[in-house]
Amino acid sequence: MSPHDVWEAFNDPNLDGPGQLATHVRLSLIALAAATAAGVALGVAAAKLGGRWTAFMVVSVSNLGRTVPTFALMALVVALTSIGERPALAGLVLLGIPPVLLNAYTAVRGVDPAVTDAARGMGFTRLGVLTRVEIPLSLPLVFAGIRISAIQIVATAVLAAAVGAGGLGVLILAGLANSDDAVLLAGAVPTALLAVGTGLVLGLAQWLLTPRGLRPRTTSHTLAPHRTAPRPPEKDTP
Amino acid sequence: MPGTPATDAPPPGDVRAGTLELRGVTKRYGPTLAVDDLSLTVPAGKVCVLIGPSGCGKTTALRMINRLIEPTAGEILIDGTDVRRRPAARLRREIGYVIQQVGLLPHLTVAQNVATVPRLLGWAKARVGPRVDELLALVGLPPGDYARRYPAELSGGQQQRVGLARALAGDPPLMLMDEPFSAVDPITRERLQTDFLRLHRAVPKTVVFVSHDIDEAVKMADVIAVMRAGRLVQFAPPAELLADPADEFVADFVGADRALKGLALTRLEDLDLPPAPTVRRGEAGGDVRDRVASGTLVPIGGAVLATGDDGHPLRWVPVAAIGDRVEATPGRTEPLLSPVTTLRDALSALFEAGASHGVVVDGAGRAVAVADVATIGGGLAAPAEKAGDA
Ligand SMILES: Nc1ncnc2c1ncn2[C@@H]1O[C@H](COP(=O)(O)OP(=O)(O)O)[C@@H](O)[C@H]1O
Ligand SMILES: [Mg+2]
């Protein structure tokens, strides 16, 4: 088997690699958009409105979301609903929410209280403190969460094939079923490349979105300790 | 300006300062009375230092003034108007607020930080830019060097200078400062205090300044409010507080070295200091000798102080060593003092430098007077006089 065989398999009209790739990307994008919207909204709301109980819930639910095997999650979603694109998307969204939610919550919670106190003292309204101070300061960490979420969604979207929603998983499943390594790789290689590419692109976006004042400096004339940039609670690799 | 007592330099007419009045202000947290029936009045343009041991209610009292905390009882008036008459956010835009941890917005540049309140107040862009530059220069941070930096690129002292500029930017009639200089090293603190005093001369805002350091209080205050367990135990000018503590607690708090602390009550500008015997670099030697002969230039120890064209002191030159022209390269070793430096700080600076005299420079760095140890020591009598007429 050569790269040429894999390329042939990918372009086999019966398997329709390019079409599955497009489906894979589309499912991932929709799931990521929904997971981001829900994760940011829930994370910010929990950080601003919640107390200790909320903190406990956010952390527990997020960790639960990360420890439940993804396959089990998909199976559960399908069992509760049916086969098709919607349940696949629902599973991917559920999977994608925890990293965003946890990071958004941690980021907003981690904003230096001296900064928000000074902001309120200067005359920002509560909404102003949120939109002009807390959210901008949280962006880098939120983006780190979106990146983790995106990589997980892209990798897990292969399971969409198992519930009839298409995607690169179709090739992987077909390859497994027929013990055809070329077909298997025609699904697995693009999936891997897609995951790596997503990580790189969103990593770049994260860097670009980090305000210059918050970026770690290579050369520094800093005498005061850097108090405000909170440490990410988790590494970028899932 | 109504209510501005006639003291010191006359405040410029266009500076806004408001009278602050607290009437029976109380804050209760469950069983704790954080602030208990606090009443006091700070005249417009004066610095009131709130002092007392940790937990006595200073921060709580301060934060009730800009409504970051709402009182349980009592009322707070600025220029006779209750602070609750306006939405809290609007009120705060007209009250400068400086805290120990500074709290600069780390994602914004120094200039953007200073522009915060003017922008909240809706100033036109064309007005904000010059205002920011003016304030940065005022707090000793040349805008060309600092405006575009980020807070994390500044030292603690520089951050607090930006904090000060930011609080002054909207030209508020009232400034609230909660231990603003406690987090920096002693040398920086000393410099910030002196610069703040100089600034306050130029822009006499009404200031409420929280401190737990009696030396700082004596140095900065027009009037000191000593608090204990939420209650006001003495409200008096520094000289009176030192001379006549209201009770054992205040006496203890003020400390045994009250007399020495009195040195902090007098500033160099209060003394009759001899003018600096300055000569310009490049001035004709003949002219210098003529001025000495006529008595208009009085050398100290046979030497005169050569300055640059900008009046900045360069070095002492013996008159006998001056030829055709005054020649001088920078080589001054004695400390530079400010007219607002207290006698205590001046002495300490001289002792530290091992110098017998220092050069007093004005806000622009021009040599104006010379202060020597004996003259400063002579100023020891001053606090007693002050206490007498207080
Ligand atoms: N939010 C709060 N809840 C309960 N007690 C408080 C709160 N804030 C302050 N206190 C109490 O009120 C008292 C005064 O506090 P504070 O004004 O911070 O003192 P200071 O600034 O003089 O050190 C302290 O006993 C403190 O424990
Ligand atoms: Mg305090």
Side-chain angles (χ1 to χ4, degrees):
Chain A
M1 185 197 57
S2 68
H4 180 74
D5 297 333
V6 176
W7 181 244
E8 290 278 281
F10 183 74
N11 284 308
D12 180 339
N14 290 324
L15 296 167
D16 187 21
Q20 303 300 3
L21 176 63
T23 306
H24 199 106
V25 169
R26 188 173 51 85
L27 288 177
S28 300
L29 280 179
I30 296 172
L32 181 64
T36 298
V40 169
L42 290 173
V44 171
K48 292 301 290 178
L49 309 172
R52 243 175 246 225
W53 173 238
T54 319
F56 174 74
M57 287 302 287
V58 166
V59 174
S60 316
V61 170
S62 301
N63 283 332
L64 193 71
R66 284 194 297 167
T67 44
V68 169
T70 34
F71 201 83
L73 179 71
M74 294 300 265
L76 186 70
V77 170
V78 172
L80 292 178
T81 56
S82 65
I83 293 275
E85 186 170 302
R86 281 185 181 221
L89 275 176
L92 290 176
V93 172
L94 281 182
L95 176 85
I97 289 176
V100 182
L101 168 58
L102 186 61
N103 276 30
Y105 177 82
T106 314
V108 173
R109 272 298 169 103
V111 172
D112 185 348
V115 171
T116 45
D117 183 53
R120 286 223 300 142
M122 282 189 291
F124 279 105
T125 58
R126 280 184 191 280
L127 185 66
V129 173
L130 181 66
T131 57
R132 308 272 296 279
V133 181
E134 288 170 315
I135 289 181
L137 289 179
S138 301
L139 276 185
L141 200 47
V142 168
F143 247 78
I146 294 176
R147 184 173 168 214
I148 297 165
S149 187
I151 295 170
Q152 281 182 358
I153 287 175
V154 166
T156 312
V158 296
L159 293 178
V163 297
L168 290 167
V170 170
L171 283 80
I172 296 176
L173 290 184
L176 285 173
N178 304 324
S179 302
D180 185 337
D181 285 352
V183 174
L184 176 71
L185 286 175
V189 171
T191 306
L193 290 178
L194 205 55
V196 171
T198 303
L200 287 177
V201 168
L202 286 177
L204 182 69
Q206 180 188 343
W207 188 82
L208 288 175
L209 264 164
T210 303
R212 237 190 71 204
L214 301 181
R215 282 182 202 160
R217 270 160 302 276
T218 40
T219 55
S220 170
H221 9 230
T222 306
L223 296 179
H226 207 349
R227 300 192 203 89
T228 34
R231 297 212 133 201
E234 47 189 353
K235 294 279 178 305
D236 278 0
T237 43
Chain B
M1 237 173 314
T4 306
T7 48
D8 306 330
D14 58 348
V15 171
R16 296 200 302 165
T19 304
L20 172 70
E21 188 179 356
L22 272 64
R23 288 189 195 152
V25 174
T26 298
K27 180 66 190 184
R28 183 185 283 281
Y29 289 112
T32 325
L33 273 171
V35 172
D36 184 5
D37 195 21
L38 180 65
S39 298
L40 55 85
T41 301
V42 186
K46 295 284 144 184
V47 179
C48 169
V49 174
L50 284 182
I51 192 166
S54 178
C56 71
K58 307 180 293 290
T59 297
T60 306
L62 191 80
R63 289 164 62 90
M64 284 191 283
I65 298 170
N66 65 357
R67 294 185 59 193
L68 285 170
I69 297 175
E70 295 291 350
T72 312
E75 52 187 15
I76 297 169
L77 310 163
I78 298 174
D79 279 336
T81 308
D82 195 309
V83 294
R84 281 168 300 195
R85 290 273 290 279
R86 284 195 296 164
R90 295 269 285 286
L91 171 82
R92 292 181 197 132
R93 291 169 199 173
E94 307 237 320
I95 301 179
Y97 185 54
V98 183
I99 55 177
Q100 183 183 332
Q101 311 88 328
V102 195
L104 295 179
L105 305 182
H107 58 305
L108 301 182
T109 62
V110 164
Q112 290 169 325
N113 266 284
V114 176
T116 306
V117 174
R119 289 182 59 185
L120 284 170
L121 288 170
W123 288 18
K125 265 217 168 93
R127 189 174 160 210
V128 177
R131 178 69 176 159
V132 168
D133 288 353
E134 175 194 345
L135 280 159
L136 286 177
L138 201 63
V139 299
L141 299 173
D145 295 342
Y146 290 94
R148 296 168 65 87
R149 290 215 203 164
Y150 283 88
E153 298 165 346
L154 303 178
S155 71
Q158 290 168 336
Q159 290 187 15
Q160 197 51 282
R161 284 172 191 275
V162 178
L164 206 54
R166 177 174 74 168
L168 283 165
D171 192 24
L174 174 64
M175 297 269 288
L176 306 178
M177 308 178 71
D178 194 348
E179 309 204 15
F181 308 143
S182 307
V184 294
D185 63 273
I187 294 170
T188 307
R189 182 183 319 143
E190 151 76 52
R191 222 172 270 158
L192 284 168
Q193 288 168 346
T194 305
D195 283 357
F196 174 77
L197 282 172
R198 195 159 46 202
L199 208 72
H200 188 256
R201 287 300 152 85
V203 193
K205 303 286 176 190
T206 309
V207 178
V208 182
F209 187 114
V210 167
S211 176
H212 60 251
D213 174 1
I214 184 72
D215 291 317
E216 182 173 66
V218 167
K219 178 173 176 181
M220 312 289 289
D222 292 306
V223 62
I224 299 180
V226 186
M227 292 180 66
R228 176 193 197 182
R231 301 193 65 97
L232 184 66
V233 289
Q234 188 164 11
F235 187 68
E240 187 183 324
L241 193 81
L242 291 179
D244 188 17
D247 60 17
E248 200 70 4
F249 170 78
V250 180
D252 265 1
F253 199 80
V254 167
D257 55 344
R258 275 164 30 201
L260 205 54
K261 286 200 170 82
L263 272 177
L265 289 171
T266 312
R267 307 181 193 289
L268 290 176
E269 64 189 3
D270 300 329
L271 300 183
D272 214 359
L273 295 176
T278 54
V279 296
R280 296 254 151 167
R281 180 166 53 186
E283 191 176 337
D287 291 353
V288 173
R289 283 182 286 273
D290 285 351
R291 287 208 282 147
V292 172
S294 70
T296 52
L297 182 67
V298 185
I300 294 176
V304 290
L305 183 61
T307 68
D309 289 337
D310 52 6
H312 290 209
L314 296 173
R315 68 152 71 222
W316 290 92
V317 199
V319 178
I322 297 178
D324 282 353
R325 302 255 158 220
V326 175
E327 285 169 35
T329 49
R332 180 189 51 77
T333 52
E334 72 285 350
L336 289 184
L337 304 166
S338 154
V340 294
T341 305
T342 66
L343 300 192
R344 182 190 171 109
D345 292 339
L347 275 182
S348 144
L350 292 184
F351 289 158
E352 207 166 296
S356 63
H357 61 272
V359 176
V360 182
V361 295
D362 64 12
R366 289 184 295 254
V368 290
V370 175
D372 63 33
V373 174
T375 319
I376 298 173
L380 263 172
E385 284 161 26
K386 269 195 157 183
D389 60 36

